[in-house]
């Protein structure tokens, strides 16, 4: 539901019309060309549209009330949807061109028809026609003001800010909103040398400036508890932002600093809105063997943010030891499983969280029935339908930094439980989630929030 072109034309009796504003959308025009194929008719220049449109509206020569090309009985009128036949193009016509007149002002637009050109679909079935008419009605109310008259300084001031209005209500040819009658939805025209509003950012923010930053980091750890198998782990994270700032293209810089003895970031990928970045940040790769000279920050990301939340960057890192060490043992006894879990928080990790919990899923065993499990710290929640034990550890580990879980669980073979092709027999895993968060304010009025998430997966250790 898009439009190909938009025109605002002023016309006074006895005088030729003047195009006061026009806008074309190349991306929508390309879609129109692909759908129409050989029947495609390109949108011509303003001068080639003006005279045929005035003729179609009977505004060119009031002394000739009948024009055969327009008033013939073979051409039934379906105003405001017109078939605009172009001069010098045999068989070439723009359809459906919508035109709305009020006083000396003509508003016209050409919606995109998402259907084959032949046979022409009924107008009521085209959603783009209804949406385009709504857009024209909103622009008409905006230009004419509360009194409904488009004249004088009021019209001149509204036309001056019309490009910003159209960019806001119809970005890239897709109508999103209609301007409010009598109230300009856009600021005054920018001064000379001011930044131009980009097409990818149709609107703006008014109010308190706020920048929210969320850091989410995942630690994927495979711990076997065996001398013959080496433990594996990796770290990957993302930084997401939500910026509410005034201005066309505000400049924001987010700086990431590593903790003491922190491992450098690698495989850094950034959002296209990042304007510049140190080349040493982008060249650090986890594939290359470290030589001890990797860039260790601080990592500065200058950018001009979009309106919506976005992922500023993603990265990987190599740490010498996982934040949580664990052991998970399963032993099958008759119709039940004996479960033993021990977790230890590494001393380098701050023992303070928003919450910490461990998930123990059981697959391919039917529905979970009896649970006889004890924990040394926290509490246990059981989801029988999902075959899941949730061990809620709370906001911190005990002083020893170690916790344990032990007991037995049994299953019913009559009801089907969750299925996982990889977790057959005694192959299983435990997922530990540590969630920490903090907020702070910068020296400016930007408010920055950081969210830190550790996610560990530990394989079972079976005798």
């Amino acid at each position: 539901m898009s439009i190909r072109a938009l025109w605002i034309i002023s016309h006074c009796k006895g005088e030729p019309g003047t195009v006061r504003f026009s806008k074309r959308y190349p991306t929508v025009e390309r879609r129109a060309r692909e759908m129409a194929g050989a029947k495609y008719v390109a949108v011509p220049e303003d001068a080639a549209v003006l005279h045929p449109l005035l003729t179609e509206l009977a505004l060119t020569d009031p002394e000739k009330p009948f024009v055969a090309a327009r008033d013939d009985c073979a051409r039934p009128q379906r105003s405001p949807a017109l078939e605009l036949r172009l001069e010098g193009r045999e068989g070439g016509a723009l359809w459906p061109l919508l035109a709305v007149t009020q006083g000396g002002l003509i508003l016209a637009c050409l919606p995109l028809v998402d259907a084959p050109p032949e046979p022409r679909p009924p107008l009521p079935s085209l959603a783009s026609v209804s949406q385009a008419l709504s857009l024209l009605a909103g622009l008409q109310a905006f230009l004419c003001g509360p009194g409904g008259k488009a004249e004088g300084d009021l019209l001149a001031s509204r036309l001056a800010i019309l490009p910003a209005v159209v960019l806001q209500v119809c970005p890239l040819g897709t109508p999103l909103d209609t301007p409010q009658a009598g109230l300009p939805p856009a600021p005054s025209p920018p001064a000379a040398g001011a930044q131009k509003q980009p097409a990818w950012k149709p609107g703006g923010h008014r109010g308190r400036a706020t920048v929210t930053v969320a850091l989410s980091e995942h630690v994927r750890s495979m711990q076997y508890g065996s001398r013959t198998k080496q433990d594996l782990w990796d770290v990957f994270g993302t930084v997401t932002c939500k910026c509410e700032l005034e201005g066309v293209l505000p400049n924001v810089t987010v700086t990431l600093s590593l903790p003491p003895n922190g491992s450098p970031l690698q495989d850094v990928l950034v959002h296209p809105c990042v304007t510049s970045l140190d080349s040493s940040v982008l060249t650090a790769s986890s594939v290359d063997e470290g030589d001890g000279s990797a860039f260790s920050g601080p990592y500065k990301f200058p950018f001009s943010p979009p309106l919506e939340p976005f992922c500023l960057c993603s990265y990987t890192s190599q740490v010498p030891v996982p934040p949580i060490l664990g052991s998970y043992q399963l032993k099958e006894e008759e119709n039940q499983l004996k479960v033993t879990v021990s977790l230890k928080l590494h001393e380098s990790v701050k023992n303070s969280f928003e919450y910490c919990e461990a998930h123990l899923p059981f697959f391919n065993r039917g529905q979970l029935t009896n649970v006889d499990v004890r924990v040394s710290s926290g509490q246990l929640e059981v989801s029988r339908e999902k075959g899941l034990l949730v061990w809620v550890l709370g906001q911190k580990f005990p002083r020893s930094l170690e916790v344990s879980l032990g007991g037995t669980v049994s299953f019913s073979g009559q009801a089907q439980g969750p299925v996982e092709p990889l977790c057959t027999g005694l192959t299983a895993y435990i997922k530990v989630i540590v969630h920490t968060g903090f907020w702070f304010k910068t020296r400016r009025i930007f408010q920055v929030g950081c969210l830190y998430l550790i996610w560990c997966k530990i394989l079972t250790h079976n005798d």
Side-chain angles (χ1 to χ4, degrees):
M1 293 183 287
S2 304
I3 64 172
R4 297 167 59 185
L6 174 68
W7 295 273
I8 308 295
I9 301 170
S10 62
H11 177 267
C12 295
K13 187 176 182 181
E15 298 181 4
T18 304
V19 178
R20 306 292 294 272
F21 173 82
S22 66
K23 180 71 174 177
R24 290 166 176 78
Y25 298 95
T27 55
V28 182
E29 195 65 17
R30 181 177 179 180
R31 291 163 54 195
R33 184 186 306 111
E34 293 176 350
M35 286 187 291
K39 299 288 185 179
Y40 169 72
V41 178
V43 178
E45 298 296 327
D46 295 343
V49 174
L50 180 59
H51 187 266
L53 178 58
L54 295 178
T55 301
E56 196 70 29
L57 297 175
L59 297 175
T60 52
D61 194 350
E63 296 181 358
K64 294 182 179 180
F66 178 81
V67 177
R70 178 190 67 210
D71 302 319
D72 191 275
C73 294
R75 291 189 62 199
Q77 295 293 325
R78 293 185 174 87
S79 181
L82 309 175
E83 181 184 12
L84 191 67
R85 297 187 177 183
L86 303 175
E87 299 175 352
R89 299 190 186 184
E90 185 176 354
L94 299 178
W95 180 90
L97 190 131
L98 308 178
V100 177
T101 62
Q102 181 169 346
L105 205 61
I106 304 171
L107 294 87
C109 74
L110 181 65
L112 175 68
V113 178
D114 293 321
E118 297 294 340
R120 287 181 176 175
L123 286 173
S125 66
L126 300 176
S128 59
V129 172
S130 301
Q131 201 167 16
L133 285 173
S134 177
L135 174 65
L136 291 180
L139 291 175
Q140 183 183 30
F142 168 71
L143 291 171
C144 297
K149 293 184 179 181
E151 56 186 20
D153 296 337
L154 174 64
L155 177 60
S157 63
R158 297 297 170 87
L159 285 173
I161 61 175
L162 187 59
V165 174
V166 173
L167 183 62
Q168 181 176 353
V169 301
C170 189
L172 302 178
T174 302
L176 301 179
D177 198 0
T178 55
Q180 298 179 359
L183 293 176
S188 299
Q195 291 175 310
K196 183 180 179 181
Q197 187 82 26
W200 55 266
K201 190 176 182 181
H205 171 75
R206 288 187 177 183
R208 184 181 179 184
T210 304
V211 177
T212 304
V213 180
L215 172 62
S216 177
E217 189 165 282
H218 295 246
V219 180
R220 187 169 47 192
S221 175
M222 305 300 177
Q223 302 176 25
Y224 300 95
S226 173
R227 295 182 178 180
T228 59
K229 288 187 178 182
Q230 184 179 4
D231 295 344
L232 303 174
W233 61 87
D234 57 11
V235 179
F236 57 95
T238 57
V239 180
T240 57
C241 296
K242 177 67 169 71
C243 301
E244 297 176 336
L245 304 172
E246 293 185 349
V248 177
L249 292 172
N251 294 318
V252 182
T253 299
V254 170
T255 302
L256 302 181
S257 300
L258 297 177
N261 301 323
S263 301
L265 304 185
Q266 299 173 330
D267 306 322
V268 177
L269 298 176
V270 298
H271 192 272
C273 70
V274 176
T275 56
S276 63
L277 196 63
D278 193 320
S279 59
S280 58
V281 176
L282 296 176
T283 55
S285 173
S286 59
V287 178
D288 302 331
E289 294 184 2
D291 57 358
S293 61
F295 182 72
S296 57
Y299 301 86
K300 295 184 178 181
F301 299 91
F303 58 93
S304 182
L307 295 175
E308 68 279 358
F310 66 100
C311 178
L312 176 63
C313 69
S314 62
Y315 63 89
T316 65
S317 184
Q318 297 181 6
V319 295
V321 64
I324 294 180
L325 301 175
S327 172
Y328 182 20
Q329 296 181 343
L330 288 180
K331 188 174 182 180
E332 196 159 10
E333 298 178 350
E334 297 181 354
N335 294 328
Q336 62 183 11
L337 282 179
K338 183 178 180 181
V339 182
T340 304
V341 178
S342 63
L343 300 176
K344 181 178 181 180
L345 183 69
H346 194 268
E347 58 186 10
S348 64
V349 179
K350 185 178 180 181
N351 189 16
S352 178
F353 327 112
E354 286 190 359
Y355 67 84
C356 176
E357 59 187 29
H359 293 191
L360 286 75
F362 297 95
F363 299 102
N364 310 314
R365 292 186 175 276
Q367 188 171 359
L368 189 63
T369 54
N370 298 325
V371 177
D372 183 13
V373 175
R374 297 178 179 274
V375 295
S376 63
S377 178
Q379 59 184 13
L380 190 69
E381 298 178 356
V382 181
S383 177
R384 301 184 187 278
E385 296 77 10
K386 297 181 180 180
L388 177 67
L389 300 183
V390 179
W391 182 11
V392 181
L393 294 168
Q395 297 182 333
K396 61 187 308 182
F397 275 59
R399 182 173 299 180
S400 63
L401 302 182
E402 297 185 18
V403 292
S404 61
L405 174 150
T408 59
V409 295
S410 58
F411 306 87
S412 172
Q414 299 178 354
Q416 179 67 33
V419 178
E420 170 56 59
L422 297 179
C423 295
T424 58
L426 295 179
T427 302
Y429 66 86
I430 176 174
K431 182 168 65 175
V432 184
I433 300 175
V434 180
H435 193 291
T436 66
F438 59 92
W439 291 86
F440 62 92
K441 292 184 179 180
T442 64
R443 288 179 296 176
R444 301 185 64 182
I445 57 175
F446 299 158
Q447 186 176 0
V448 180
C450 289
L451 176 68
Y452 185 74
L453 173 67
I454 299 176
W455 182 92
C456 298
K457 182 181 285 188
I458 303 173
L459 289 179
T460 56
H461 169 217
N462 301 306
D463 293 332

